Amino acid sequence: MKLRSHYIFSTGLLALFNSMIIHEFYINLFISSIISVISNSLIDRIGHEIKGPYIARSPRTHTIPRSIIWGIIPSIILIVISEILVTIIFETDYSFETYFVCIFLDGIIVGPSHMLLDVFTEKGIYVKKNNHWNRFAIAHFKYNNPIINGIAILCGIIMLYYSFLLSSISSL
């Protein structure tokens, strides 16, 4: 999938998840978009190798367990600076612990959400079988297929919309 599809899909998924914990949409959108952009960028930039004229995925980041690790790294950095964000910028009633849990869980979720989209592409993701990395793909679509990327983006937008609705309903 295209990187922007990963960004929007993961942002929507994380914002929807966050809206069940923190009922302020714009804070959820801020947190989820930062984690989504940084984590998805790391997964693709570190996990792609140039082989001649082609760019290939590697098991360095394109496995479910390793994608979780690459998703947690930006979350930990955001947790460190989130106390400053919570107290100075946002001035919310939520405790630091609430943000800590939300951000850490976002880090766990973002990597597998990246793998969820990539498993539908022709190159798929890596799974370990008999001590050897094998590719696994469900649908074998090209990574730049506009229809499949559009569906992923639309799903992300729908999840953002429902996140907004949940936040609006919870704040009443």
Side-chain angles (χ1 to χ4, degrees):
M1 290 281 170
K2 299 283 249 173
L3 199 49
R4 71 174 158 259
S5 302
H6 286 294
Y7 292 159
I8 297 169
F9 180 83
S10 294
T11 298
L13 180 65
L14 297 178
L16 184 60
F17 174 77
N18 293 349
S19 66
M20 296 179 216
I21 300 170
I22 299 170
H23 307 299
E24 296 178 22
F25 175 73
Y26 295 106
I27 293 174
N28 291 336
L29 180 62
F30 179 77
I31 291 169
S32 60
S33 60
I34 286 177
I35 292 173
S36 174
V37 169
I38 294 171
S39 296
N40 283 306
S41 295
L42 276 175
I43 290 170
D44 269 2
R45 294 211 171 37
I46 294 171
H48 289 174
E49 299 172 345
I50 298 173
K51 295 184 177 183
Y54 303 104
I55 297 175
R57 292 182 187 143
S58 77
R60 186 179 312 126
T61 60
H62 281 80
T63 69
I64 292 176
R66 290 180 182 172
S67 71
I68 292 172
I69 293 168
W70 290 109
I72 289 176
I73 291 171
S75 295
I76 290 172
I77 295 167
L78 189 57
I79 286 169
V80 170
I81 63 171
S82 68
E83 189 162 18
I84 296 166
L85 293 172
V86 170
T87 55
I88 296 172
I89 298 172
F90 294 135
E91 299 178 12
T92 67
D93 297 331
Y94 293 100
S95 67
F96 172 72
E97 291 79 16
T98 304
Y99 286 101
F100 175 88
V101 168
C102 193
I103 293 169
F104 189 74
L105 291 175
D106 282 354
I108 293 171
I109 294 169
V110 72
S113 78
H114 187 105
M115 298 303 107
L116 176 66
L117 294 182
D118 279 354
V119 78
F120 290 100
T121 62
E122 59 190 348
K123 303 296 182 187
I125 63 172
Y126 287 91
V127 293
K128 199 166 202 173
K129 190 174 184 179
N130 300 329
N131 262 351
H132 183 68
W133 291 111
N134 295 318
R135 290 183 189 259
F136 173 74
I138 292 176
H140 302 283
F141 292 111
K142 289 195 177 292
Y143 83 97
N144 60 355
N145 182 315
I147 294 171
I148 300 307
N149 279 278
I151 290 170
I153 290 170
L154 183 62
C155 287
I157 291 169
I158 289 169
M159 288 186 284
L160 280 169
Y161 175 72
Y162 278 108
S163 168
F164 178 75
L165 287 180
L166 280 172
S167 297
S168 300
I169 292 169
S170 300
S171 64
L172 292 178

